[in-house]
Amino acid sequence: MAFPWALWRRLRDQRYRKDMGLARQPELRVHAEMRPPDLDRFEGCWVAVKDGKVLAAADTSRALAYEVRKLADRGRGAIAQYVPPEATSLTVGAG
């Protein structure tokens, strides 16, 4: 007797369809973190953010690391991120 491949495919597909609804459950959703409004003042700079507040800002990531080190324990756990300038250019795609 040959292995029933059609049965195997059907069982696999049913499990896939059943698990597709898991991401729609409220407790499993990933929520986007809101951008702190203070970042608009620092366009084009590197900033260190902790608890929704900007702790330090600098023109380069190396200078930012130096500024955060000066903060000692207050800067521990801060997230460094680049704040891009607002894009006003128009992108046209061909194809």
Side-chain angles (χ1 to χ4, degrees):
M1 181 173 153
F3 188 77
W5 290 105
L7 176 63
W8 172 252
R9 280 190 212 114
R10 177 179 282 173
L11 291 173
R12 182 190 63 196
D13 291 346
Q14 283 177 352
R15 181 171 178 157
Y16 174 77
R17 284 190 211 110
K18 182 185 78 138
D19 291 343
M20 285 297 289
L22 288 179
R24 295 186 185 109
Q25 295 177 4
E27 65 271 5
L28 296 177
R29 283 198 181 140
V30 176
H31 300 285
E33 189 170 323
M34 299 304 294
R35 179 178 179 221
D38 293 345
L39 291 183
D40 294 334
R41 298 183 305 148
F42 301 103
E43 285 185 353
C45 296
W46 283 87
V47 294
V49 179
K50 184 176 180 182
D51 297 329
K53 296 177 186 170
V54 176
L55 297 180
D59 292 330
T60 64
S61 59
R62 177 177 247 155
L64 179 67
Y66 179 73
E67 294 294 324
V68 171
R69 278 194 194 126
K70 287 196 302 188
L71 296 173
D73 286 337
R74 207 173 116 225
R76 191 176 310 270
I79 306 265
Q81 68 182 68
Y82 179 73
V83 182
E86 185 176 342
T88 56
S89 61
L90 178 65
T91 304
V92 178

